[in-house]
Amino acid sequence: EAQVTQNPRYLITVTGKKLTVTCSQNMNHEYMSWYRQDPGLGLRQIYYSMNVEVTDKGDVPEGYKVSRKEKRNFPLILESPSPNQTSLYFCASSFSVAGQETQYFGPGTRLLVL
Amino acid sequence: GENVEQHPSTLSVQEGDSAVIKCTYSDSASNYFPWYKQELGKRPQLIIDIRSNVGEKKDQRIAVTLNKTAKHFSLHITETQPEDSAVYFCAASSPGYALNFGKGTSLLVTP
């Protein structure tokens, strides 16, 4: 089944404790991205990747890191989480570069930073 | 960069009525305009999209219209049903650039 998966789905952590949210797609998509969703602010892009070893900042990259060592995986790293990073996070992928094709979203990761 | 404005932020209609959600964009180079639906607790999913070489596109009860001159596009849902209740996001992108999403419209269809 073609899908985007994320883990964990729910996470409670404390300020400063490094964490990684994994994202994997099995559709051989070139383009992958991370969004955060906050009430009243919609979906804001954190980072995106147009292919292996190619990543770039989105609209709200501060406090986040990403890597794209393999085509299927695009982990999101919070080196030192803070309470303002409490949010719902979505990974997404699409076949072609940039935003000109259907984006397939993962199920979301709800993060609470205390 | 691209700025996408979406209105209204909330919309309540009675079952069977039509719903219209409007978006404006700032970058005249934008040429791809998708709409995503997000049901409560679920992930966003594409429901319809339109490219700048087309003025209107329909898929059963949903349609999208695009006015390139005015830089706005709209989602029209006819004969609304309770299962249409969700948050709807518009988005825009230009070639080689990422999608920019609007802030979303929470649609409630009451029986």
Side-chain angles (χ1 to χ4, degrees), chain A residues 52-72:
Chain A
V52 176
E53 302 291 1
V54 180
T55 63
D56 212 342
K57 297 178 181 178
D59 296 321
V60 288
E62 294 78 20
Y64 305 94
K65 285 176 58 178
V66 293
S67 68
R68 188 94 182 270
K69 293 183 170 56
E70 307 163 280
K71 197 171 188 179
R72 64 183 293 131

Side-chain angles (χ1 to χ4, degrees), chain A residues 6-22:
Chain A
Q6 291 178 230
N7 283 291
R9 295 289 314 280
Y10 305 92
L11 180 60
I12 301 175
T13 189
V14 295
T15 298
K17 187 176 181 182
K18 180 179 178 180
L19 66 91
T20 299
V21 184
T22 65

Side-chain angles (χ1 to χ4, degrees), chain A residues 37 99-100 102-103 105-106, chain B residues 31-32 36 38 43 51 93:
Chain A
Q37 183 176 17
Q100 301 272 299
T102 303
Q103 294 217 18
F105 284 82
Chain B
N31 66 343
Y32 177 63
Y36 284 79
Q38 185 181 26
R43 71 192 79 187
R51 297 183 190 271
S93 77

Side-chain angles (χ1 to χ4, degrees), chain B residues 54-73:
Chain B
V54 177
E56 182 175 0
K57 186 176 179 180
K58 287 187 73 173
D59 183 3
Q60 299 182 327
R61 295 186 298 107
I62 61 173
V64 58
T65 59
L66 172 64
N67 183 326
K68 284 189 66 180
T69 304
K71 289 191 278 188
H72 68 69
F73 57 112

Side-chain angles (χ1 to χ4, degrees), chain A residues 3-4 9 31 35 37 40-43 45 48 50 59 88 90 98-108, chain B residues 31-32 34 36 38 41-46 49 51 87 89 93-104:
Chain A
Q3 59 182 346
V4 180
R9 295 289 314 280
Y31 183 82
Y35 296 90
Q37 183 176 17
L41 297 179
L43 290 159
Q45 191 176 56
Y48 63 96
M50 294 196 177
D59 296 321
L88 176 59
F90 286 101
Q100 301 272 299
E101 300 290 340
T102 303
Q103 294 217 18
Y104 295 86
F105 284 82
Chain B
N31 66 343
Y32 177 63
Y36 284 79
Q38 185 181 26
K42 301 287 182 65
R43 71 192 79 187
Q45 290 190 296
L46 181 75
D49 59 9
R51 297 183 190 271
V87 177
F89 292 98
S93 77
S94 53
Y97 290 90
L99 267 178
N100 285 276
F101 285 88
K103 288 183 169 46

Side-chain angles (χ1 to χ4, degrees), chain A residues 22-36:
Chain A
T22 65
C23 173
S24 183
Q25 50 90 8
N26 63 0
M27 296 171 279
N28 201 35
H29 284 172
E30 291 188 343
Y31 183 82
M32 298 185 74
S33 62
W34 276 102
Y35 296 90
R36 61 177 289 174

Side-chain angles (χ1 to χ4, degrees), chain B residues 15-33:
Chain B
E15 184 177 0
D17 289 349
S18 295
V20 181
I21 302 170
K22 300 181 179 182
C23 290
T24 61
Y25 61 98
S26 60
D27 187 352
S28 56
S30 289
N31 66 343
Y32 177 63
F33 308 93

